[in-house]
Amino acid sequence: TFLTLFTDGVTDTLSPNGENYDQKRLIRLLSNTRLNKANALISAIENDLIQFRDGLPSPDDITVLTLHRT
């Protein structure tokens, strides 16, 4: 079980065509990612954000905190 907290910098991230990385996309990523370590989940989010931005800089600070209960 994971608990993931994030700042609005995650959902304010923009793609090159101006689309927001919205909460639905993040929830879909969290639901479809089967990992057993918190740092692996954070890496998956970070990689998805980088791919989504496609080279654009982040418009805001991005903070993600994930806790994993075993």
Side-chain angles (χ1 to χ4, degrees), residues 18-36:
E19 179 185 3
N20 271 39
Y21 188 99
D22 59 14
Q23 205 167 10
K24 288 180 186 179
R25 182 181 175 111
L26 179 60
I27 290 169
R28 190 169 49 250
L29 174 71
L30 294 173
S31 297
N32 294 331
T33 303
R34 301 288 178 235
L35 300 168
N36 60 359

Side-chain angles (χ1 to χ4, degrees), residues 2-61:
F2 288 94
L3 171 65
T4 302
L5 307 170
F6 58 93
T7 61
D8 65 345
V10 173
T11 53
D12 287 347
T13 295
L14 296 174
S15 71
N17 66 0
E19 179 185 3
N20 271 39
Y21 188 99
D22 59 14
Q23 205 167 10
K24 288 180 186 179
R25 182 181 175 111
L26 179 60
I27 290 169
R28 190 169 49 250
L29 174 71
L30 294 173
S31 297
N32 294 331
T33 303
R34 301 288 178 235
L35 300 168
N36 60 359
K37 295 190 180 205
N39 63 339
L41 182 59
I42 290 174
S43 291
I45 295 168
E46 181 181 28
N47 291 335
D48 198 47
L49 285 167
I50 290 168
Q51 184 177 3
F52 184 79
R53 285 195 320 259
D54 193 27
L56 290 178
S58 178
D60 196 357
D61 64 297

